[in-house]
Amino acid sequence: MIKQSLKYFLIGLLAWPILAEVIGFISPLWSVFVLGDTTGETGLILLEISRPYLALVSVVFAYSFYLISRVSESTVKKRLCELLGLVYVCVSIYGFFPEDDVTYTLLSSIHYLAELSMLFIGAMLIYKNIQEIHNKPLQ
């Protein structure tokens, strides 16, 4: 379970920055070849269009946190981890609000705090179960 969680964790952790960089690279090319803009004014239009959806990659990260929480023997801890993962996914919609809006600031702050909490709790669960990672074959 921990190895599977680590796979999804790496995908969830790296997917957002990689997607942002790929879209940022393609966006000026899209502007020139598809939109026909040679001035560069619409160079980041593709990045602006996809910006709200990039935060939704957090679903993969929350799934890996859910998997790692399954190793806990306490039912209360499992439920709290599930609740934290659900809150994290639900506030991922912050990208759909204008950046100067209070809702955007509140949701993105909660998203950030939930992500930090998930990283800390997940790291502690992995640390407590590190023997399971080394002693079981790769699934």
Side-chain angles (χ1 to χ4, degrees):
M1 179 81 62
I2 291 180
K3 286 185 180 186
Q4 185 179 11
S5 173
L6 287 174
K7 289 177 196 176
Y8 283 107
F9 173 76
L10 289 175
I11 292 169
L13 189 65
L14 297 175
W16 185 86
I18 290 172
L19 280 174
E21 291 297 323
V22 167
I23 293 171
F25 177 76
I26 293 173
S27 191
L29 300 174
W30 177 271
S31 172
V32 172
F33 295 115
V34 176
L35 301 178
D37 178 25
T38 57
T39 63
E41 290 180 15
T42 60
L44 298 177
I45 195 166
L46 193 60
L47 190 59
E48 283 298 315
I49 291 170
S50 62
R51 183 183 62 85
Y53 304 103
L54 288 176
L56 297 177
V57 174
S58 63
V59 172
V60 178
F61 190 68
Y63 180 66
S64 81
F65 183 68
Y66 168 76
L67 289 176
I68 198 68
S69 71
R70 300 288 95 203
V71 299
S72 177
E73 294 180 13
S74 170
T75 306
V76 174
K77 287 181 184 177
K78 286 180 186 179
R79 298 300 172 243
L80 286 174
C81 288
E82 290 171 0
L83 181 63
L84 182 60
L86 183 64
V87 166
Y88 180 70
V89 169
C90 288
V91 298
S92 294
I93 62 167
Y94 70 87
F96 294 102
F97 294 95
E99 287 187 22
D100 57 347
D101 192 28
V102 175
T103 308
Y104 175 88
T105 306
L106 180 67
L107 290 177
S108 65
S109 298
I110 293 171
H111 187 265
Y112 179 71
L113 291 174
E115 186 173 23
L116 285 178
S117 300
M118 289 169 59
L119 281 170
F120 179 76
I121 294 168
M124 294 307 295
L125 288 170
I126 290 171
Y127 180 73
K128 285 183 180 181
N129 297 290
I130 198 77
Q131 287 298 92
E132 186 179 327
I133 295 173
H134 294 293
N135 293 335
K136 290 190 175 178
L138 186 62
Q139 296 178 354

